[in-house]
Amino acid sequence: MRMIFVNLPVSDLEASRTFFTSLGFSLNPDFSDEGTTCVVIEENVIALLHAPEKWKGFLHSQPAAPGTTEVMLALSASSREECDDLRARALANGGAEYAPAMDFGWMYGVSFRDPDGHVWEVNWMDVEAARRAGAVGA
């Protein structure tokens, strides 16, 4: 089984814990300490949120400059409603607007920035309708 561990710098671990649990994600205390919070997005998708000093200890280069987007994280959703719900919870709990919703009929997506400015997208797709539209391979 392959897993993905997304490592992100955060300015306030407690605020990040509150934000991500408000989105419905759980925390794994076994992989958390005073400088890192382990957020379980799905069984095989983990976000490790690091306080500034802990983050610097992992880097072999300069961190991304404030105000830049070093990565966009995209999560799948089971419906358009789930996309809207997750975005609404993010905005109500310290997240910020990023881009307008995109709607192709067969694919729908929303986005937001977490409290540290990381961009998160949430997307739903009707694969069969996308195939009929020629948007994905057969």
Side-chain angles (χ1 to χ4, degrees):
M1 167 177 64
R2 188 173 306 270
M3 298 176 71
I4 184 168
F5 295 88
V6 176
N7 291 271
L8 297 171
V10 299
S11 59
D12 182 332
L13 275 177
E14 188 55 42
S16 293
R17 284 184 198 106
T18 300
F19 177 77
F20 284 99
T21 56
S22 76
L23 299 183
F25 303 135
S26 62
L27 305 179
N28 183 336
D30 294 335
F31 298 100
S32 300
D33 60 25
E34 67 283 346
T36 298
T37 294
C38 179
V39 178
V40 180
I41 296 171
E42 288 288 332
E43 181 181 2
N44 296 332
V45 181
I46 308 296
L48 295 166
L49 310 176
H50 302 288
E53 288 309 309
K54 185 88 175 245
W55 176 249
K56 288 176 189 171
F58 287 109
L59 298 181
H60 299 281
S61 61
Q62 294 299 313
T68 62
T69 301
E70 77 278 13
V71 66
M72 270 188 188
L73 304 154
L75 301 174
S76 62
S78 61
S79 67
R80 298 165 69 93
E81 294 77 20
E82 184 181 5
C83 293
D84 290 336
D85 178 63
L86 191 58
R87 180 180 173 278
R89 285 188 282 150
L91 296 180
N93 288 283
E97 298 277 349
Y98 178 67
M102 56 135 193
D103 189 349
F104 297 107
W106 47 267
M107 184 170 80
Y108 178 75
V110 298
S111 60
F112 58 87
R113 287 187 181 272
D114 68 22
D116 287 283
H118 304 295
V119 176
W120 294 80
E121 295 182 329
V122 186
N123 299 293
W124 164 84
M125 182 190 307
D126 178 336
V127 176
E128 289 305 314
R131 283 189 180 117
R132 289 191 299 273
V136 297

